[in-house]
Amino acid sequence: MRKGLAEHVGALPAVEIVELDFAGASTVGALLRDGVEWRLGHAIHLSRPTVDGRTGGMW
Protein backbone atom coordinates (compact mmCIF):
# COMPACT_ATOMS: atom_id res chain seq x y z
CA MET A 1 0.00 0.00 0.00
CA ARG A 2 2.91 2.37 0.71
CA LYS A 3 5.82 2.12 -1.70
CA GLY A 4 9.18 1.59 0.03
CA LEU A 5 7.69 0.89 3.47
CA ALA A 6 8.98 -2.69 3.69
CA GLU A 7 12.53 -1.58 2.83
CA HIS A 8 12.35 1.19 5.43
CA VAL A 9 11.07 -1.08 8.20
CA GLY A 10 13.54 -3.83 7.27
CA ALA A 11 16.45 -1.40 7.59
CA LEU A 12 15.57 -0.28 11.11
CA PRO A 13 18.17 -1.57 13.58
CA ALA A 14 15.67 -2.30 16.37
CA VAL A 15 13.31 -4.36 14.22
CA GLU A 16 13.56 -8.14 14.02
CA ILE A 17 11.56 -9.78 11.24
CA VAL A 18 10.13 -13.09 12.47
CA GLU A 19 8.90 -15.64 9.94
CA LEU A 20 5.40 -16.98 10.32
CA ASP A 21 6.03 -20.74 10.29
CA PHE A 22 3.39 -23.48 10.22
CA ALA A 23 2.74 -23.28 13.95
CA GLY A 24 2.36 -19.51 13.70
CA ALA A 25 0.07 -19.71 10.68
CA SER A 26 -2.07 -22.26 12.47
CA THR A 27 -2.26 -20.13 15.61
CA VAL A 28 -3.03 -16.92 13.74
CA GLY A 29 -5.59 -18.73 11.58
CA ALA A 30 -7.40 -20.02 14.66
CA LEU A 31 -7.39 -16.55 16.20
CA LEU A 32 -8.72 -15.03 12.97
CA ARG A 33 -11.49 -17.61 12.95
CA ASP A 34 -12.36 -16.49 16.49
CA GLY A 35 -12.62 -12.87 15.33
CA VAL A 36 -9.20 -11.57 16.40
CA GLU A 37 -7.63 -9.01 14.02
CA TRP A 38 -4.64 -10.45 12.09
CA ARG A 39 -2.12 -7.95 13.51
CA LEU A 40 -3.13 -8.80 17.04
CA GLY A 41 -3.04 -12.51 16.16
CA HIS A 42 0.60 -12.17 15.06
CA ALA A 43 1.46 -10.36 18.30
CA ILE A 44 -0.27 -13.05 20.37
CA HIS A 45 1.64 -15.81 18.57
CA LEU A 46 4.99 -14.08 19.12
CA SER A 47 4.28 -13.53 22.81
CA ARG A 48 3.69 -17.22 23.54
CA PRO A 49 6.47 -19.65 24.57
CA THR A 50 7.59 -22.21 21.97
CA VAL A 51 9.06 -25.71 22.08
CA ASP A 52 12.39 -24.41 20.71
CA GLY A 53 12.96 -22.32 23.83
CA ARG A 54 11.58 -18.90 22.95
CA THR A 55 9.89 -17.63 26.09
CA GLY A 56 7.68 -15.01 24.45
CA GLY A 57 8.04 -11.27 24.53
CA MET A 58 11.55 -9.90 24.02
CA TRP A 59 14.02 -12.77 23.61
Side-chain angles (χ1 to χ4, degrees), residues 48-56 59:
R48 292 179 173 167
T50 63
V51 295
D52 64 353
R54 191 182 78 222
T55 58
W59 58 91

Side-chain angles (χ1 to χ4, degrees), residues 34-46:
D34 292 340
V36 175
E37 185 183 0
W38 69 267
R39 290 174 281 209
L40 186 55
H42 281 247
I44 291 169
H45 167 63
L46 290 174

Side-chain angles (χ1 to χ4, degrees), residues 9-29:
V9 171
L12 295 172
V15 173
E16 180 180 347
I17 306 299
V18 180
E19 294 182 26
L20 190 60
D21 56 7
F22 178 77
S26 178
T27 299
V28 173

